[in-house]
Amino acid sequence: MSNGQTRVAIVGDPVEHSLSPVMQNAAFASAGLDWEMVRVQVPSGSGAEIIGRVRSGEFAGLAITMPLKEEAAAAIDELDPASARLRSVNTAVGLPDGGVRGLSTDGNGFVNSLRVQGVDLVGSKVHVVGAGGAARSIVAALGAIDGCLITISNRTFSAAVEAAGLAESAHAVDGDETVDAVKGADIVVNTTSVGMGSESGVGALPLAIELIGAHQVVADIVYHPLTTGLLAGAAARGAHTVDGLGMLVHQAVLQCEAWTGFSPDPVAMRSAAEAELARRSG
Ligand code: ATR
């Protein structure tokens, strides 16, 4: 255990199962920093108060999870463009003058998790399944990429329409249009919780697997199990698959960079997360 001089916290409710501490403490170690991440359970309604603890210097920064992402955004002075559009943050950074900067690293973490696998999003067609918080972050990040065309489908169509409002190049689809959008996409991403918690490679699917072809990239943001039914089915059809730990690690890399100014080792962070997941299921 480190006696970190500088502390950051993962805040939200619940926080006991978050993988952030193992990933960030591995990140700090990989960058040779005497920093430490701790868990602080913070209930709904205390978002402004926890941002005050960054302002006072108690924490150098925060990783922010449910249910505080919107409350924290409202209490922060300086939001990056994506966070301002989303009205939500997952990262707070304390500034030397007592100010606090807010970022959303999920969307760019997703983009980077594809880039490191050689998947170029410039000029690509992406179909997003789902329209919750994670989908909205991803849509906002994809909307900033040149020529990236986005379609969104969701069980509740109105939420897909709302998410599509976050990027000029996005539109919501339903029914037969969804079938065409999935078939025509270069990249398909599941952002719903469908497939979570089932045995590796089996379980409910967020879309009809017959629509997937070998030319496509299929990404899942679910990481428990790492090989979801969707990813197993897509791989069997010859598609290139990207698992959900990629986004989790790469959004954490961006958080660490924002707090410390150092680039941590994503491989060390992923190993730490995998070891923790294995420990929990063992
Ligand atoms: P997150 O922050 O992880 O994105 P969320 O905001 O609760 O979580 O969003 C969950 C997403 O998964 C939503 O798009 C939700 O669809 P609805 O908008 O219709 O609720 C989708 N989802 C959850 N369970 C689902 C299911 N059984 N079938 C299809 N979609 C589901």
Side-chain angles (χ1 to χ4, degrees), residues 66 69 129-135 153-157 159 191-194 221:
M66 282 200 347
K69 290 180 166 190
V129 184
S153 59
N154 191 45
R155 179 176 63 179
T156 310
F157 183 63
T191 70
T192 74
S193 48
V194 177
I221 73 158

Side-chain angles (χ1 to χ4, degrees), residues 109-119 240 242 246 250 266:
F110 173 73
V111 168
N112 289 348
S113 76
L114 293 184
R115 280 207 183 117
V116 297
Q117 294 224 13
V119 179
H240 176 166
V242 179
H250 284 278

